[in-house]
Amino acid sequence: ARCQCKLLPRERRNCGYPGISALECAKAGCCFNTSVPGVPWCFAPKAKKVRKVCPSDPNVRINCGFPGITAKECERKGCCFRAYPAGVPWCFYHRTVEE
C-alpha cells in the first residue's frame, strides 16, 4: 500500500542494489523513491498493521471449541465466544484484519 512507503529518509532500510529500476524494486515488494539523495531509493516498506477481531457474521465462524465449552474455557484458548445464534460455533477463532 502507498502509505507503507511513507517513511522518513533516515528510516529507510535498503531493499535493492545500486542502479535498481523502479520496476525491479516493486517486483521485490519494496518502495522506490528517488527524491532524496544519499539514502536508499529502493527500501523496505513499513510493516502492515493488523489486529484480531471476532467476526460479526455467524456464518463465517471457524470452530475453536467443543460442544458445551464455557466462555472462560474458550477465552483461555484465545478464541471468541458468543452463545448465539443456534446452529453455529459459539467458540470460534479471531480473524486478522489489516488496518
Side-chain angles (χ1 to χ4, degrees):
R2 184 180 256 170
C3 62
Q4 288 178 263
C5 292
K6 291 189 177 184
L7 292 164
L8 294 172
R10 69 174 185 271
E11 295 174 331
R12 293 182 182 182
R13 288 181 298 119
N14 196 5
C15 194
Y17 52 85
I20 191 171
S21 69
L23 183 60
E24 287 299 313
C25 182
K27 280 183 185 176
C30 301
C31 304
F32 191 82
N33 182 329
T34 60
S35 67
V36 183
V39 296
W41 289 354
C42 181
F43 53 96
K46 283 189 224 178
K48 290 181 181 180
K49 290 184 180 180
V50 294
R51 62 186 169 94
K52 288 182 176 181
V53 296
C54 295
S56 55
D57 180 355
N59 298 311
V60 300
R61 294 178 182 176
I62 298 171
N63 197 0
C64 180
F66 50 86
I69 192 169
T70 67
K72 197 170 265 187
E73 289 171 319
C74 178
E75 289 162 3
R76 239 184 263 132
K77 291 180 74 169
C79 296
C80 304
F81 187 86
R82 292 210 180 96
Y84 59 87
V88 296
W90 289 0
C91 180
F92 50 97
Y93 289 100
H94 291 93
R95 296 188 74 174
T96 303
V97 178
E98 288 183 18
E99 295 183 328

